[in-house]
Amino acid sequence: MIQQTLVLIKPDGLKKSLTGNILTRLSETRLDIIAAKIVKVDKKLAEKHYCQLKDKPFFADLIKYICGEFHKKKVLAMVYYGEEAISKVRELAGLTNPEEADSVSIRGAYGRITTSGVFENVIHASANEEEAEREIKLWFEPDEVIADIYLTKIVKKETEKKVWTS
Ligand code: IDP
Ligand code: MG
């Protein structure tokens, strides 16, 4: 089945200059990148992204982690597209706990658990189609994705926006 999945290189991955290594690993999947951007994650976006975990004891630290408070204040957000994209990327990413992840997986190779218990596992990958749709729509506008993956509509908006001065 053709699918799309949200991939984030988390702040620890960027701080440790792992972007190239991680993208090389992901290219093993032969999937297409159909969207990519650097995002400065604010608390609102972080809380929406991880809304299913809001009752977990590690939630507050997780929000700080993904907002970059322990590393760099940015993540690389991408959408990968192709045959069985979700399971292919999840498998390469490895288990959530970097110490339990296969040592050749991305998380197994590059992740760590901090002394305060944060799983710094360098990459996010959507877990299923429902999560992928919710997450892609949260992180990207339709015009930022170069394939027609979900239904869109045109709305007229009269809002201010920042433009280059010349
Ligand atoms: P996933 O990223 O493998 O889908 P989730 O359960 O969705 O795992 O958790 C989201 C993120 O929250 C993880 O990637 C990890 O950074 C963090 N996390 C999950 N479980 C724990 C935990 O038990 N302790 C600390 N951090 C955790
Ligand atoms: Mg998850």
Side-chain angles (χ1 to χ4, degrees), residues 161-166:
K161 72 168 189 177
K162 192 187 279 183
V163 294
W164 305 116
T165 46
S166 60

Side-chain angles (χ1 to χ4, degrees), residues 10 50 53 58 62 65 90 96 107 117-119 121 124-125:
K10 295 180 175 182
Y50 282 130
L53 299 172
F58 56 83
L62 175 61
Y65 164 42
R90 287 285 290 194
T96 306
R107 288 168 164 179
V118 181
F119 289 5
N121 52 12
H124 166 83

Side-chain angles (χ1 to χ4, degrees), residues 75-87:
V75 307
L76 174 58
M78 297 172 289
V79 179
Y80 276 75
Y81 175 86
E83 194 62 45
E84 301 301 330
I86 294 173
S87 61

Side-chain angles (χ1 to χ4, degrees), residues 6-33:
L6 179 80
V7 176
L8 304 176
I9 299 186
K10 295 180 175 182
D12 51 329
L14 292 171
K15 170 86 180 183
K16 294 175 179 170
S17 298
L18 292 171
T19 309
N21 304 48
I22 293 171
L23 293 181
T24 300
R25 294 300 311 278
L26 289 171
S27 68
E28 289 169 24
T29 62
R30 304 292 200 94
L31 295 167
D32 272 339
I33 300 173

Side-chain angles (χ1 to χ4, degrees), residues 40-83:
K40 203 168 172 179
V41 182
D42 61 22
K43 204 163 172 246
K44 207 170 134 200
L45 173 60
E47 286 180 348
K48 278 191 188 162
H49 177 73
Y50 282 130
C51 60
Q52 285 129 332
L53 299 172
K54 66 178 189 312
D55 298 326
K56 300 282 184 193
F58 56 83
F59 186 69
D61 271 349
L62 175 61
I63 297 304
K64 283 187 197 158
Y65 164 42
I66 202 70
C67 286
E69 289 194 24
F70 308 132
H71 306 93
K72 288 192 171 184
K73 288 196 170 30
K74 58 181 179 177
V75 307
L76 174 58
M78 297 172 289
V79 179
Y80 276 75
Y81 175 86
E83 194 62 45

